[in-house]
Structures are given as structure tokens and as C-alpha cells.
């Protein structure tokens, strides 16, 4: 066997490591959690490990509320910013803004969590209400901070990818710049923008530390009724309760089952974003 | 509202949105810097924590450095090898597409899930116990997709003329890769590695479940010993010891500074190699 064959094979093995890891993760997660994963797990209203009750519906609803609110905020700020970067900003300003925004992803989530705990939470407590400020609202703000860079970068790419011909044609017909953006550019970029949204949702669902530090984590999770309610998310439940599970107990299996649900949801979202939305974009052309 | 006024109104809104997005980073960084400088002192950086918020954070600093260092030592070569395969050797078939798919999938796995996996596989199955090694292995999983992605991009951008010239001179494929392609791609590869390191140093969920409680008062004595880390420490102080929060700020400042130092070093290395590539 020549050396280059040998080298090629070794490198192939290295490349398959990622696949191997994903398989292993799926395997171990399912092995530990599948036993507890049933319809009652997903729809049960009571999460009480001491009474051997593992209903995750309140936590599921809370997670969805926290994620949805964060995405709304991130989109409200991020998409206009992306439009600004792609259509209005001069070259130098675009660089500055892009670098600054992308650098946000470099801030460790604990530090954002720290900011949330020491600045946002007291602010909410003193000005809006709630028991101690730890709330859905705090979770919204903190998560939005974290996913804004994702929304901006991908949306901006999508908007810039729209051919100049579209803009020129629209302007030639007498439309103003904003009309052009609204009616010619954005609809073409919508697939990419949707992809950024879906990826943002995926990132938000998987975020653990920053959210965990500001949303309150009450002992008994309940379906929230106000933005200043304390809640839990899937990620925060797993992180916190793993500290005091008994190894091998049903409680531990329930936490793994939560991990499985998380994993599946995030994988599905990534799949949708990468294949469905982007494929549609390619087919449309 | 006529068209011109509407246009100006919209433009103002867009500027406002961009402004909001831009101030996030400076606000947080300046906030950490202002709150944290007060805690910095020689003792803070060189002593062990006593009751979490007395003393210093020396073991946490060393723990973070060890964790990032070890996970990079594991993850960077693996990532680079994978990237070389994907870019230089992989035929355009279903197997390659599957490998790529899984690499991208791995990038999307939530950190807590990787923590769970690390706990089950490294800590338990492989009997590594909650340790520096388990933590580093789990962290290397986290950084793998980023290293692979950035390295592959960097390798792909190397003009094929470089490779062809090398072959024309009689070099083998492997020689070409090692002496021509990889050096040419080095700036991008370094960026990818630094990106991965940045993720690793700030990662808390994974470390929480696999590497140690965070309040350790000692530097890990071996690969099998549990290790503290700056990120865990910040979390603990922020949630359980708010009275001593100044230490938390200090730790956050150290963490961000370490990350900045890594990024700046990376930039300098990048420019150094870029200059070398373009002939001094």
C-alpha cells in the first residue's frame, strides 16, 4: 500500500469522528432517557421527582414562551439592522457594525448571565414587578442579546445576495429606495431570513447558562401567566437537577429524556433551516 | 405622509436598530471592566478561593487554561485532519455528504446535551471520573465543528495552482499538503482554532457536568483530578454568593481578558503568516 493510500485512510477515520460522536450522543442519550420518554412525560402537568412524577408540559410551555419572546425581540432589532447593513450603511460603517455584532458571540454566556443577574434582574424587580426580578422578561432580554448576532449575520447575507438587477429594475420603475426594499429585495431574501430565524430559535432553545441564571427556576414548575413569572426551561432543569440526582434513578433518566427532546427539537430545526429553506431558495432561482 | 418623509422615517428606524445592536457589546464589556477592576489584585490572581468569595481565583484561572489547552490539543489536530480529508481527499459521493452533514449537525447540538453525553460517556463509561480529562474531551467535541469548518474553508481557498506547481515539481500528494497547502491556509486555520478556543473557555454547561464543581481550591494535580474553571466560578458566585459578587466581576474580567488576548494573538499570528505567504 502506498503512503498516500494509507494517509488518505487515516484522514478519513479522523473525518468520521464527527459522525461517530453524533451517533454516540444519540445512542447514549436514548439509552438513558428512552425508558421515561412517553406521552405522559410530554403532557404531564406535574414535575415532582420526589413523588416520581415527571410531567414536562409546564417546562415545555415555558421554554417555548421564553424562546418565542426572545426571537421576537431579536428579529425586531436584528432584521432592521440587517437591512441597514445591506442597503444603507457605507462600507466603513458596515465593517464596524458587523465586527461589533459578531463579537457578541464571543462573550461567554456566563458573562451575559452575570450581566442579566446583576443589571437586568434588579431593574425588572425595581421597575416592573415580580418577586425578585428573575422572570420570563429577563430571559427574553438575555436570550435576545445572544441570538441577535445570528439573526443579523445570516439575514444580512440573504439580503445582500439578492441580485442588484432586482433593485435597479424597481428603481427604474420609479419606486423609492424603501419601496424597493420592501417589495423587491425583502421578498427575495425571505428564505434566508427565515433560515436565520429558525437557526436563532434552535440556538435559543439550546442555550443553558445565561437563561438559567435569570429566569428563576422555581421548585415547582408551573405554566406562567405573566411576564414576571419565574419559570424553568428544559436546559435549566437539566443543569440544575443533575446536581442532586441519584445515579441510575428514574429522576436521572427523566433528565436524559429531556435531553433527548431538546436534541430532537434542535436537530429538526437545523434540518429545516439547512435543507428545506435553503433548498427552496435554490429551487426558486 | 409622503414618500420622502416616509423614507426618512424608515431610515431613522433602521439606524436606531443598528445603533441598538452595536452598543450591546461595548456596554457589556465596559460594564464587566468597570465592575471587575476593583477586584483585581495580586492576591486575587494568585491565591486559592476560601469560602468561594474570599481569597483569589488562581486555581480557576489555571483550570480554565488547562481545560482550553488540552481540549485544543485534542480537537485542533483532529479538526485539521478532518478538514484536510474533506478538502483534499474526499470523493464527491454519498459518504462524504454524510460526513459533512454530521459535522454540521454536531455544531447545532446544545451544550448541555454535550455535557450530558460527556458525563455519561467520558465520566461514567470510560471511568474517567469528573476530571480535567473528561472536561477537555467534552470541550473538544464542542470545538470540533468550528475548527473543521474554518480549516476546510481555508484549505479550499488555496489556489489550485499551488498544488499543481507542487505536483509538477515531483512532490507527492501528502508532501504537497504538508508543505504547500496547509502553510498557505494557515491564517484561516488559526482563526478556526481560536474560534474554537473562545467557545471552550467560556463554556460552562459542559464543564459543569464533566470537569468539576468550580469552587476547587486547588489546581488539578493530574488529568484525573477535578478542576475548577473561571466560567463555573462566575456562575457559582452569581447565583449563590452575591455578597461577594466583586470576585465574580473580577473573574469575568479575567475571562474576557484571556479571550481577548487569545484573539489578538491569533490576529497577530494570522498577519504574520499572511505576510509570509505574500513574500514578506
Amino acid at each position: 500500500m502506498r503512503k498516500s493510500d494509507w494517509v488518505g485512510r487515516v484522514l478519513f477515520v479522523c473525518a468520521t469522528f464527527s459522525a461517530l460522536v453524533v451517533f454516540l450522543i444519540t445512542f447514549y442519550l436514548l439509552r438513558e432517557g428512552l425508558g421515561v420518554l412517553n406521552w405522559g412525560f410530554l403532557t404531564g402537568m406535574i414535575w415532582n421527582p420526589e413523588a416520581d412524577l415527571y410531567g414536562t408540559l409546564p417546562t415545555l410551555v415555558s421554554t417555548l414562551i421564553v424562546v418565542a419572546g426572545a426571537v421576537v425581540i431579536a428579529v425586531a432589532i436584528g432584521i432592521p439592522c440587517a437591512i441597514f447593513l445591506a442597503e444603507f450603511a457605507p462600507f466603513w460603517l458596515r465593517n464596524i457594525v458587523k465586527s461589533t455584532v459578531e463579537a457578541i458571540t464571543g462573550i461567554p454566556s456566563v458573562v451575559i448571565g452575570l450581566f442579566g443577574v446583576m443589571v437586568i434582574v434588579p431593574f425588572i424587580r425595581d421597575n416592573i414587578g415580580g418577586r425578585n426580578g428573575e422572570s420570563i422578561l429577563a430571559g427574553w432580554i438575555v436570550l435576545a442579546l445572544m441570538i441577535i448576532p445570528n439573526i443579523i449575520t445570516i439575514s444580512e447575507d440573504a439580503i445582500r445576495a439578492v441580485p442588484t438587477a432586482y433593485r435597479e429594475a424597481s428603481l427604474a420603475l420609479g419606486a423609492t429606495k424603501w419601496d424597493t426594499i420592501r417589495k423587491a429585495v425583502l421578498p427575495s431574501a425571505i428564505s434566508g431570513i427565515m433560515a436565520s430565524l429558525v437557526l436563532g430559535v434552535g440556538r435559543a432553545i439550546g442555550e443553558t447558562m445565561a437563561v438559567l441564571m435569570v429566569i428563576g427556576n422555581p421548585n415547582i414548575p408551573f405554566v406562567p401567566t405573566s411576564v414576571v413569572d419565574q419559570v424553568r426551561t428544559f436546559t435549566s432543569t437539566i443543569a440544575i437537577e443533575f446536581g442532586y440526582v441519584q445515579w441510575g434513578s428514574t429522576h436521572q433518566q427523566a433528565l436524559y429524556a429531556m435531553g433527548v427532546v431538546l436534541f430532537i427539537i434542535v436537530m429538526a430545526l437545523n434540518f429545516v433551516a439547512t435543507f428545506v429553506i435553503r433548498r427552496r431558495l435554490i429551487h426558486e432561482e | 405622509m409622503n414618500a420622502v418623509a416616509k423614507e426618512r422615517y424608515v431610515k431613522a428606524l433602521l439606524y436606531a436598530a443598528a445603533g441598538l445592536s452595536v452598543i450591546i457589546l461595548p456596554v457589556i464589556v465596559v460594564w464587566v471592566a468597570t465592575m471587575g477592576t476593583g477586584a483585581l489584585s495580586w492576591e486575587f490572581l494568585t491565591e486559592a478561593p476560601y469560602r468561594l468569595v474570599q481569597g483569589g481565583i488562581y486555581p480557576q484561572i489555571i483550570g480554565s487554561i488547562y481545560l482550553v489547552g488540552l481540549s485544543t490539543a485534542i480537537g485542533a489536530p483532529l479538526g485539521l485532519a478532518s478538514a484536510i480529508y474533506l478538502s483534499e481527499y474526499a470523493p464527491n459521493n454519498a459518504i462524504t455528504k454524510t460526513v459533512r452533514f454530521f459535522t454540521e449537525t454536531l455544531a447545532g447540538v446544545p451544550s448541555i446535551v454535550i455535557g450530558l453525553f460527556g458525563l455519561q460517556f467520558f465520566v461514567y463509561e470510560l471511568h474517567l471520573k469528573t476530571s480535567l480529562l473528561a472536561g477537555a474531551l467534552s470541550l473538544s467535541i464542542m470545538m470540533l465543528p468550528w475548527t473543521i469548518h474554518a480549516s476546510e474553508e481555508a484549505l479550499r481557498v488555496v489556489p489550485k495552482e499551488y498544488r499543481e506547481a507542487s505536483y509538477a515539481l515531483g512532490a507527492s500528494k501528502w508532501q504537497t499538503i504538508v508543505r504547500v497547502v496547509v502553510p498557505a491556509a494557515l491564517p484561516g486555520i488559526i482563526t478556526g482554532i481560536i474560534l474554537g478556543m473562545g467557545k471552550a473557555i467560556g463554556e460552562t454547561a459542559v464543564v459543569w457536568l464533566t470537569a468539576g464543581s468550580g469552587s476547587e481550591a486547588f489546581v488539578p494535580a493530574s488529568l484525573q483530578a477535578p478542576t475548577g474553571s473561571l466560567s463555573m466560578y462566575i456562575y457559582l458566585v452569581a447565583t449563590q454568593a452575591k455578597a461577594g459578587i466583586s470576585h465574580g466581576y473580577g473573574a469575568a474580567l479575567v475571562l474576557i481578558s484571556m479571550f481577548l488576548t487569545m484573539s489578538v494573538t491569533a490576529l497577530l499570528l494570522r498577519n504574520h503568516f499572511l505576510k509570509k505567504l505574500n513574500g514578506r
Side-chain angles (χ1 to χ4, degrees), chain B residues 32-75:
Chain B
V32 169
T34 353
M35 309 296 275
T37 334
L40 289 185
S41 67
W42 187 248
E43 293 76 33
F44 184 65
L45 296 173
T46 54
E47 282 177 9
Y50 167 68
R51 294 232 188 107
L52 198 64
V53 287
Q54 321 269 33
I57 55 169
Y58 180 70
Q60 276 68 27
I61 297 179
I62 301 297
S64 278
I65 294 181
Y66 279 2
L67 276 169
V68 172
L70 189 54
S71 62
T72 309
I74 300 174

Side-chain angles (χ1 to χ4, degrees), chain B residues 87-126:
Chain B
S87 156
E88 308 289 319
Y89 283 87
N92 211 349
N93 59 19
I95 301 184
T96 311
K97 288 208 174 79
T98 324
V99 169
R100 248 184 241 283
F101 171 72
F102 279 115
T103 310
E104 282 176 24
T105 311
L106 192 53
V109 176
S111 53
I112 189 85
V113 171
I114 296 193
L116 280 179
F117 169 70
L119 180 63
Q120 190 62 29
F121 189 65
F122 295 124
V123 174
Y124 184 62
E125 297 278 332
L126 296 189

Side-chain angles (χ1 to χ4, degrees), chain B residues 219-240:
Chain B
V219 172
S222 74
L223 282 177
Q224 246 110 351
T227 175
S229 60
L230 285 170
S231 43
M232 269 311 286
Y233 181 81
I234 297 173
Y235 166 70
L236 287 173
V237 173
T239 50
Q240 292 170 17

